[in-house]
Amino acid sequence: MIRILQRLRQAPEPEISRQDAESAFFTTVWHQGNQEPLVPWEARAVELGARPLPARPALRQLQALWAHDRHLSTLGADALARMERYLHFAAVKAQRDVILQDEYGNFMVVVLSGELVVNRRQPWGETLRLAQTGPGDLLGEMSLLDSGQRFSSCTTLVDSELAVLSAEALDDMLAHDPALAAQLIAILARKLSVRLRAVSSRLGQQTP
């Protein structure tokens, strides 16, 4: 985290290439020394048969949804407009595993429309439903930030539309728009803290 904050304090370098930006932090540093392969969004999109969506209408939909979130609404209209270049927008059919438990991933998704269920397979074999998510909800933020193992699986219940932020795009944002990156990372950290406290409490109640 200290290294991230040091990078955020630096002024953006106008001549930095996309390749340099992508090799900075989220795409490499946190996964170094791990022998397990990462599952990036590009690979998962192929597996899902995801269909790309036009960016402008999808971004307007995202803006409308985040306006009602007490954390994400702190991103103003200008900040959200600047995020367009960093996001992928895709349509995914029902009953598709967008995220799989225990895999190593480095992207998060925002639900634009539809529903996804969040399940965790417990060590004793039980599958616990942690949440049923809908428009505006975020999934996979933790692995976006640390390229670590997924805590749970996220599966579409119906045809859904998603916005995706990858580690490569976050590195790009960090290099070219550090103020936006700092604001987004702070919001994600806050939302993760709230979610993990709730999930920890629920898992503690379910342990036999």
Side-chain angles (χ1 to χ4, degrees), residues 25-206:
F25 286 97
F26 297 101
T27 51
T28 57
V29 170
W30 309 133
H31 197 64
Q32 286 177 353
N34 193 333
Q35 300 303 312
E36 295 292 332
L38 280 170
V39 180
W41 168 249
E42 290 78 9
R44 182 49 43 80
V46 172
E47 295 175 5
L48 296 173
R51 175 174 57 84
L53 294 173
R56 290 299 172 86
L59 184 64
R60 288 195 294 269
Q61 194 172 359
L62 179 65
Q63 291 172 334
L65 291 169
W66 280 6
H68 301 287
D69 184 288
R70 70 188 184 96
H71 300 297
L72 292 163
S73 61
T74 59
L75 287 170
D78 176 67
L80 284 171
R82 288 173 8 234
M83 284 190 65
E84 179 182 343
R85 64 174 287 188
Y86 304 109
L87 295 171
H88 297 280
F89 301 99
V92 178
K93 293 290 187 181
Q95 302 303 315
R96 299 292 198 275
D97 293 321
V98 177
I99 290 172
L100 288 173
Q101 181 179 332
D102 295 332
E103 72 181 5
Y104 286 82
N106 63 353
F107 64 88
M108 78 168 192
V109 301
V110 185
V111 184
L112 298 178
S113 68
E115 292 180 296
L116 284 83
V117 64
V118 181
N119 290 325
R120 176 169 175 78
R121 186 179 63 256
Q122 300 290 66
W124 54 89
E126 177 188 4
T127 297
L128 177 64
R129 176 166 293 192
L130 300 179
Q132 187 166 322
T133 65
D137 289 329
L138 278 64
L139 300 167
E141 312 99 296
M142 186 182 297
S143 291
L144 168 70
L145 296 176
D146 68 4
S147 297
Q149 278 186 293
R150 301 291 195 182
F151 182 76
S152 55
S153 296
C154 304
T155 305
T156 54
L157 293 178
V158 298
D159 292 357
S160 302
E161 295 181 340
L162 309 173
V164 181
L165 179 65
S166 67
E168 291 85 357
L170 187 55
D171 275 338
D172 197 0
M173 188 188 305
L174 189 63
H176 294 93
D177 198 339
L180 178 61
Q183 190 175 7
L184 180 61
I185 291 169
I187 291 170
L188 294 180
R190 172 60 177 164
K191 290 180 73 68
L192 272 172
S193 176
V194 172
R195 178 183 296 176
L196 288 175
R197 288 178 185 277
V199 170
S200 177
S201 175
R202 184 172 180 185
L203 288 176
Q205 295 172 1
Q206 294 289 329

